[in-house]
Amino acid sequence: MENGTKELTKVQPPSTAMQVQTPVQKIPTATWKLLLVAAIAAGVQFGWALQLSLLTPYVQLLGIPHKWAAYIWLCGPISGMLVQPIVGYYSDRCQSSYGRRRPFIASGAGCVAISVILIGFAADIGYKAGDDMSKTLKPRAVTVFVIGFWILDVANNMLQGPCRALLADLCSGDTRRMRSANAFYSFFMAVGNILGYAAGSYNNLYKLFPFSKTHACDLYCANLKSCFMISIALLIIITVVALSVVREKQWSPDEADEEPPSSGKIPVFGELFGALKDLPRPMLMLLVVTCLNWIAWFPFILFDTDWMGREIYGGTAGQGKLYAQGVRAGSLGLLLNSVVLGLTSIAVEYLVRGVGGVKILWGIVNFLLAIGLVMTVVVSKVAQHQRQHSANGQLLPPSAGVKAGALSLFSILGIPLSITYSIPFALASIYSSGSGAGQGLSLGVLNLAIVVPQMIVSVLAGPFDSLFGGGNLPAFVVGAISAAVSGVLAIILLPKPSKDAAAKLTLSGPYH
């Protein structure tokens, strides 16, 4: 999500900013300036990677029960569905002297900084406000955290749509340069992921900020706080440099094909939901397959590091060191996942040719996802069977073989995740071109098949897991079944694009 919700790359689940792509700069922009704007994605994705890897365990340290932790993640898909279209609509029509996109990018970066401070210092603020540290639940800290978390997701969506739109503006309608600019953006997303997961897997970052460890904030909390402070610095530095160097021309309504509506309403939502009534069959089938695919993905995206700390390492949030060790190992797994995702993204075109078509490849990787989710159960049971204790009765970390098996699963799942981030969007473009529908509207409809499953999983995953004794495995099993069904339907129901249309796959990049 370009969010995330968890568009999720442990990348955030995908979203759409329905931009009116009116070229506003006729002089070609230097490539290094495109790189500078695209680099903002690294700062955004750094923070998003930290969300994916560390925040589910963190909310449990604040006292939120595991079965309710998923509700926190509702803000990702909700903000992705609402905020990006609204920001996109108004950034298309912004008449600020600073340009159309830069005010929104600057505001988004500022809001990210504020939200990250609230999240990182939630435990300290709650303690100062009267939280009892002897109790498991810290209600004031939880309140501060939730406010900060929702602001963070809204701010991320404020940033990402205008960033992509600014890149398109700077390319002045040159399709080759637009492809290059989006490739730069995707590359820096991968860089941000790797940096974020690497930071999340290292447990001594708090030493760079000695003040981060306090009475209310233990070692794990201090490391999270330190990671967020680094992410703020990276995002603010890149954003300030990019917006200072790259200039925009002030936009006026005379440059648009149509005047902005005077009613003050946002017609984008009427168009978006109205399009559902007249969907061509290929798009309808694509929505079904995509919906099932994200029902499969989101439980793992939501609870992957918690799974490592709980089921693999046998730890409990807030008790002892094992859980924190597992979370750091999960962050390392997400780093490996991002590396495999990036390498697979480069090879998508060759994979399509090798297996005999787009829908065949998507079906195959859905089966691979299903197998991977089933294997989480197998590895968890092996870890449970091999639990060992020290002479004084203390639980020991899992064996090297179990850790290697779990990290291998993270790595292998980078392959289907890469396809999830590319093929559905390429197929939506192909099918909409064949039916004469608009690209932006079609991608907006596709986004509903991504964010709605995320909201469903966020609401149901925790209570569902509690019915089976807690833990993450029941939701993973449901995900495996959903992935298998998605794979079958992808092969059977999706129309086969023509060879010329399939070539558009090379133009698609990951969204979150």
Side-chain angles (χ1 to χ4, degrees), residues 7-310:
E7 0 122 1
L8 352 256
T9 36
K10 282 185 173 194
V11 268
Q12 304 228 333
S15 58
T16 56
M18 298 174 18
Q19 308 289 347
V20 178
Q21 301 295 349
T22 303
V24 298
Q25 298 198 12
K26 302 302 181 183
I27 300 175
T29 304
T31 300
W32 67 270
K33 290 187 177 181
L34 296 178
L35 281 167
L36 200 54
V37 174
I40 296 174
V44 175
Q45 204 67 20
F46 190 120
W48 183 247
L50 292 173
Q51 284 191 68
L52 292 175
S53 60
L54 300 179
L55 286 193
T56 292
Y58 182 55
V59 299
Q60 294 179 66
L61 288 176
L62 296 180
I64 299 178
H66 176 269
K67 67 178 181 178
W68 301 114
Y71 288 109
I72 303 294
W73 288 95
L74 274 173
C75 58
I78 291 174
S79 63
M81 184 168 62
L82 300 178
V83 176
Q84 278 219 22
I86 293 174
V87 169
Y89 179 84
Y90 283 109
S91 74
D92 281 337
R93 291 155 175 79
C94 179
Q95 299 181 48
S96 167
S97 59
Y98 294 100
R100 288 195 291 175
R101 319 298 182 186
R102 293 197 302 160
F104 289 91
I105 296 172
S107 300
C111 289
V112 167
I114 293 171
S115 65
V116 166
I117 291 172
L118 288 174
I119 292 172
F121 288 83
D124 297 306
I125 296 173
Y127 174 67
K128 293 294 184 182
D131 276 342
D132 186 348
M133 299 307 298
S134 65
K135 295 182 178 179
T136 301
L137 179 63
K138 288 85 174 175
R140 295 167 183 83
V142 170
T143 301
V144 173
F145 170 84
V146 170
I147 293 172
F149 193 58
W150 277 74
I151 294 174
L152 179 59
D153 268 72
V154 170
N156 278 339
N157 281 288
M158 285 177 64
L159 265 170
Q160 294 169 20
C163 271
R164 285 191 180 273
L166 178 57
L167 286 173
D169 292 342
L170 295 173
C171 291
S172 303
D174 186 326
T175 56
R176 182 187 63 81
R177 291 177 66 79
M178 289 178 68
R179 293 198 299 269
S180 298
N182 277 284
F184 297 155
Y185 195 90
S186 298
F187 170 77
F188 282 110
M189 285 176 62
V191 170
N193 270 339
I194 292 171
L195 290 174
Y197 294 142
S201 64
Y202 185 59
N203 65 345
N204 289 317
L205 275 179
Y206 74 97
K207 293 181 179 180
L208 296 175
F209 306 95
F211 61 86
S212 62
K213 192 172 185 297
T214 64
H215 177 68
C217 188
D218 63 8
L219 184 64
Y220 178 86
C221 171
N223 273 313
L224 175 65
K225 191 188 298 181
S226 302
C227 288
F228 272 131
M229 285 189 281
I230 294 172
S231 75
I232 289 177
L234 177 65
L235 176 61
I236 295 300
I237 290 172
I238 295 175
T239 302
V240 168
V241 172
L243 298 188
S244 299
V245 173
V246 180
R247 300 286 179 171
E248 284 188 278
K249 173 185 170 184
Q250 184 175 4
W251 180 85
S252 66
D254 295 337
E255 298 181 50
D257 293 335
E258 296 180 358
E259 293 286 329
S262 58
S263 65
K265 296 180 180 179
I266 305 176
V268 64
F269 291 119
E271 295 173 5
L272 188 63
F273 291 101
L276 291 171
K277 299 178 182 178
D278 302 310
L279 277 181
R281 187 178 184 276
M283 275 298 297
L284 181 59
M285 295 300 100
L286 178 61
L287 295 188
V288 172
V289 174
T290 301
C291 181
L292 290 169
N293 180 247
W294 276 100
I295 289 176
W297 268 119
F298 203 57
F300 186 77
I301 289 174
L302 193 62
F303 294 120
D304 44 19
T305 54
D306 183 70
W307 168 67
M308 283 291 284
R310 187 183 299 267

Side-chain angles (χ1 to χ4, degrees), residues 15 44 46 58 80-81 130 143 196 236 247 265 301 316 322 329 335 348 360 365 374 382 389 430 446 461 486:
S15 58
V44 175
F46 190 120
Y58 182 55
M81 184 168 62
T143 301
I236 295 300
R247 300 286 179 171
K265 296 180 180 179
I301 289 174
T316 302
L322 274 181
L335 188 153
V348 167
I360 300 298
V365 298
V374 169
V382 172
H389 295 78
I430 293 168
L446 179 66
S486 178

